[in-house]
Amino acid sequence: MRRFTSLFLACFMLFSLSACGKKEPAPPAASAPSSSTSSSASSSATGSAASSQPEDIKPEPTPYEILDPTVMPEGGVRDGVTYAAYDGVVEHLFFHPVVAYPELAFDGDYKSDGIDDWMVTAGEYLKILNSLYEKGYILVDIMDCWSEQTNEAGETRMVKNTLYLPEGKKPLIFSYDDVNYYEYMLANGFTYKLILGEDGKIWSWGLDPAGNEVVSRDLDAVTILDKFVEEHPDFSPFGAKGCLSVTGYEGLLGYRTQTDKDDQTAEREAFRQSEIEAVKPIIAELKRTGWTFGSHTWGHISLNSRSAEVAAADMQKWFDEVGSLIGEISVLFYPFGGRLDGDDVQQTGPAFQWMQQHGFRIFCSVGIDSWSKCKSDISAVICDRLHPDGTTLRSAKSRERYMRFYDAADIIDLDVRPQREVGWLN
């Protein structure tokens, strides 16, 4: 498992929902100003995110330490905190991009109910973070929870790791699906992309309902968590943040790095290359500060219903266009929760074998518990994760199930969401 202590990496190191919808005007090239908002009338005819950051912004990165939770601190104490072995369940929650502007997301159009089902608002997300913190959860990296070992028979298999945690704390994995900033999101109340600010930190860029440019750390799931960890460092004693599950068909992190079979002009390719260069420092800074990456396939395809050949072709495109930018990864997040070969619990089919042979070791679906199983016939672990979103916030059964994390009645913002049924109000 990858673990390291990173202090001074330069900021400019080479760093879903299945979506459709009409294209919106592109945001201008911009980096974050010192203030939280600014405005600009500049735009691009390409219909996508901005090009590279200004070359004169090269702030010294703030030191960031990443520690290994599988190693007990010397003497069992670090910074006055006593550590203890933990072999219980590691909870896993995942989110989609958070709604920055509910008035755009829940405006009654054909996207409103879907966004209401699968997303939380920025305000709800922050309340969830506060509840998790108060209940004693701490963040751990998904790749530290299991490791590959050779057994007595000479077979390489994944095994669950013992974690050494601050006494009384409970481990929690965060993952985030579709951190691509799809075109449909741009008109529906989400931020447009991640950028580097003048302070060297990750900020979000977008347009408010009036069309004004907004640069913020309070409107995007990534930046909200960054800020929360800065204010509550004991929420992430090892430096972990979350694993970003990304597709490739509409670029990466808000930058349109994808190939487009319908538009392979020299101008389009030059723009694509500029987007590739622009996203590299964003990737580098995310990785330096505790974020990791996983694949959500290139085309957000249902792997449970696709042949091994189709799955392999899609994933090869992901490796070419996304993996080439983010580096080696070992985590695959199933779109729609659809398990490889239809059922990776009972079998290890040809598509699963192909994915494992190409580096994947952790395979994540969606369920009602943070369940996991190390497969006995191949070096891989399969797991489920829970989904805080509109469906679970509204459900009476889910409210009880998620009570160990938060009370939905304290989280859901019914003043901004569509007027739909809430099970626990009946």
Side-chain angles (χ1 to χ4, degrees):
M1 291 288 108
R2 177 189 64 85
R3 287 286 90 187
F4 58 88
T5 298
S6 176
L7 293 179
F8 291 99
L9 292 180
C11 280
F12 289 127
M13 284 178 60
L14 299 183
F15 134 91
S16 133
L17 295 170
S18 183
C20 64
K22 74 174 185 179
K23 295 187 177 181
E24 298 298 318
S31 60
S34 300
S35 60
S36 60
T37 63
S38 64
S39 61
S40 172
S42 175
S43 63
S44 167
T46 59
S48 61
S51 57
S52 60
Q53 310 295 324
E55 294 182 359
D56 59 338
I57 300 178
K58 296 182 180 180
E60 189 71 22
T62 302
Y64 196 86
E65 189 174 37
I66 297 178
L67 303 173
D68 187 349
T70 67
V71 177
M72 175 71 85
E74 186 175 352
V77 177
R78 179 186 294 126
D79 298 329
V81 176
T82 300
Y83 281 66
Y86 181 91
D87 289 300
V89 172
V90 179
E91 299 286 4
H92 186 167
L93 300 180
F94 91 93
F95 300 87
H96 287 103
V98 301
V99 174
Y101 301 106
E103 61 269 46
L104 295 180
F106 308 128
D107 59 358
D109 69 6
Y110 74 105
K111 292 288 185 182
S112 293
D113 285 354
I115 295 171
D116 179 54
D117 283 341
W118 306 118
M119 274 76 162
V120 296
T121 68
E124 291 168 340
Y125 174 66
L126 182 57
K127 286 190 285 187
I128 289 172
L129 295 183
N130 277 299
S131 179
L132 293 168
Y133 178 72
E134 291 168 1
K135 290 181 179 292
Y137 287 97
I138 58 170
L139 297 179
V140 295
D141 189 331
I142 188 172
M143 292 185 290
D144 285 330
C145 296
W146 299 274
S147 59
E148 198 169 47
Q149 297 182 12
T150 302
N151 61 26
E152 294 179 355
E155 301 167 327
T156 302
R157 295 291 184 266
M158 295 293 285
V159 298
K160 188 175 183 292
N161 291 333
T162 295
L163 303 178
Y164 298 94
L165 310 178
E167 209 166 40
K169 297 296 184 180
K170 298 170 287 189
L172 173 66
I173 297 165
F174 272 169
S175 57
Y176 299 81
D177 282 6
D178 302 296
V179 190
N180 298 81
Y181 304 82
Y182 299 133
E183 294 284 355
Y184 88 90
M185 293 180 176
L186 306 188
N188 282 283
F190 297 85
T191 56
Y192 281 48
K193 63 175 180 175
L194 298 177
I195 64 172
L196 279 180
E198 293 177 1
D199 56 3
K201 296 178 181 179
I202 300 292
W203 292 63
S204 70
W205 189 99
L207 300 179
D208 68 13
N212 300 310
E213 178 184 4
V214 178
V215 175
S216 176
R217 298 184 76 209
D218 300 313
L219 298 174
D220 187 279
V222 170
T223 59
I224 291 171
L225 183 60
D226 277 346
K227 189 174 176 180
F228 191 87
V229 169
E230 289 172 13
E231 296 168 352
H232 307 85
D234 53 332
F235 186 52
S236 182
F238 308 105
K241 299 284 180 57
C243 191
L244 304 179
S245 166
V246 292
T247 61
Y249 69 96
E250 286 190 357
L252 175 64
L253 304 178
Y255 297 81
R256 301 308 181 219
T257 57
Q258 78 276 12
T259 55
D260 187 342
K261 64 182 180 181
D262 297 324
D263 183 11
Q264 285 299 296
T265 65
E267 181 182 12
R268 170 71 181 95
E269 181 59 22
F271 171 74
R272 190 176 80 89
Q273 292 300 323
S274 72
E275 293 286 272
I276 288 172
E277 293 306 311
V279 80
K280 288 178 180 178
I282 313 301
I283 296 170
E285 181 61 11
L286 288 167
K287 292 171 73 171
R288 188 187 74 85
T289 54
W291 294 94
T292 58
F293 287 87
S295 174
H296 204 38
T297 73
W298 186 86
H300 202 281
I301 63 173
S302 299
L303 292 170
N304 61 326
S305 60
R306 303 300 179 99
S307 68
E309 292 75 17
V310 169
D314 175 272
M315 190 56 65
Q316 188 58 58
K317 193 166 186 177
W318 189 94
F319 286 136
D320 293 342
E321 295 188 9
V322 183
S324 61
L325 294 173
I326 65 176
E328 293 184 4
I329 61 163
S330 60
V331 189
L332 177 62
F333 297 93
Y334 295 154
F336 311 106
R339 296 183 178 279
L340 276 165
D341 302 300
D343 183 1
D344 62 4
V345 179
Q346 301 298 327
Q347 65 174 323
T348 302
F352 194 102
Q353 293 178 51
W354 189 94
M355 297 292 182
Q356 196 272 351
Q357 291 166 3
H358 284 76
F360 292 105
R361 294 295 181 270
I362 303 173
F363 298 78
C364 300
S365 187
V366 181
I368 60 173
D369 260 315
S370 300
W371 169 88
S372 67
K373 174 187 176 181
C374 294
K375 290 176 74 71
S376 60
D377 60 336
I378 194 170
S379 185
V381 58
I382 53 178
C383 58
D384 281 350
R385 51 200 179 128
L386 294 155
H387 51 112
D389 54 28
T391 63
T392 55
L393 287 175
R394 292 179 180 277
S395 164
K397 288 184 179 180
S398 293
R399 181 187 178 191
E400 293 303 315
R401 187 177 296 123
Y402 284 68
M403 198 66 78
R404 63 187 184 273
F405 306 118
Y406 54 79
D407 185 346
D410 298 329
I411 303 300
I412 193 168
D413 188 350
L414 295 176
D415 291 334
V416 301
R417 284 182 174 270
Q419 300 302 302
R420 302 170 76 195
E421 182 180 0
V422 179
W424 45 265
L425 285 179
N426 296 334

